[in-house]
Amino acid sequence: MKSIRLIQGDITIQKVDAIVNAANTSLLGGGGVDGAIHRKGGSEVLDECQQIRAQQGGCAVGEAVMTTAGLLPSHYVIHTVGPTWQDGQHEENQLLQNAYINSLKLAEQKHLQSIAFPNISTGVYRFPKFEAADIAITTTVDFMKNAQHVQEVHFVCFDVENFKIYRQRLAQIDTSDVQILGI
Ligand code: ADP
């Protein structure tokens, strides 16, 4: 049975096939979860990000790329770039949805079974947390219904506010395709 698990804590300690990084378009690391992943993953992660930059000049908003996880307990890091919230009139919802879909597609293409997401765009990028949680959850549940390889998705909430929002939203999910755990 496919499952979605809610976790409160630090994504860098997750033992899954891939953790997702809320990166920026430069792929060179930054603050928040991006900083934590690069600090703990070590130089191998940054080296591969630099190779991707050399090939394609970074990562556009809504797109995703994959690297090794270096010293982290997961096997890979999927770096995706969420939108910066402006006023809701700059395709922010669509771009956030794309960030989740393209990360999940990459995991599926690489035949990965388990993947952990942070709350993309809800930190420095200021995306409203309720809306961001709805997009993350509905996009993921929809994707999982037809996934061949992705069996287990973790939503890792670092801050209590996001955790409570996810707990409430996940409790309302009504599907027989995916089991909801950790709520
Ligand atoms: P963005 O620029 O996409 O908003 P941030 O890293 O600023 O990215 O914030 C995204 C989310 O990541 C926020 O909800 C923040 O609380 C969370 N976060 C920060 N550090 C970690 C971590 N170590 N593990 C999981 N989530 C984290």
Side-chain angles (χ1 to χ4, degrees):
M1 179 77 173
K2 291 171 186 164
S3 63
I4 288 178
R5 182 179 287 278
L6 178 63
I7 292 166
Q8 186 175 6
D10 181 351
I11 201 163
T12 63
I13 64 170
Q14 292 292 307
K15 293 190 185 81
V16 284
D17 292 332
I19 61 169
V20 176
N21 181 17
N24 58 51
T25 55
S26 78
L27 295 177
L28 293 178
V33 69
D34 195 8
I37 287 172
H38 277 281
R39 253 190 324 275
K40 293 202 181 170
S43 59
E44 252 190 288
V45 179
L46 187 59
D47 286 350
E48 286 196 18
C49 283
Q50 273 163 338
Q51 283 169 29
I52 294 167
R53 267 173 70 85
Q55 284 159 16
Q56 63 176 59
C59 182
V61 178
E63 300 296 318
V65 299
M66 192 156 103
T67 67
T68 174
L71 302 171
L72 293 162
S74 59
H75 298 301
Y76 301 99
V77 177
I78 293 173
H79 306 261
T80 190
V81 184
T84 305
W85 180 264
Q86 299 180 63
D87 55 4
Q89 305 296 312
H90 289 78
E91 297 187 329
E92 291 95 332
N93 289 358
Q94 185 62 56
L95 290 167
L96 186 61
Q97 186 176 23
N98 291 352
Y100 280 93
I101 289 179
N102 286 321
S103 299
L104 288 160
K105 277 188 180 164
L106 208 46
E108 186 71 11
Q109 274 164 25
K110 303 287 179 185
H111 296 195
L112 305 186
Q113 218 196 311
S114 55
I115 172 171
F117 281 101
N119 308 133
I120 300 167
S121 284
T122 67
V124 174
Y125 285 179
R126 304 182 318 273
F127 205 106
K129 290 180 180 177
F130 272 105
E131 286 83 346
D134 280 340
I135 290 168
I137 291 167
T138 53
T139 304
T140 301
V141 170
D142 260 14
F143 187 92
M144 285 183 87
K145 285 179 187 165
N146 299 312
Q148 302 282 312
H149 303 283
V150 175
Q151 295 287 311
E152 196 182 327
V153 173
H154 295 181
F155 286 121
V156 183
C157 300
F158 195 63
D159 56 279
V160 184
E161 197 187 348
N162 263 316
F163 180 76
K164 286 182 179 165
I165 292 169
Y166 270 76
R167 195 170 53 189
Q168 188 209 355
R169 292 302 207 241
L170 284 169
Q172 293 165 350
I173 293 292
D174 184 22
T175 172
S176 52
D177 298 310
V178 182
Q179 205 178 359
I180 309 292
L181 305 170
I183 57 169

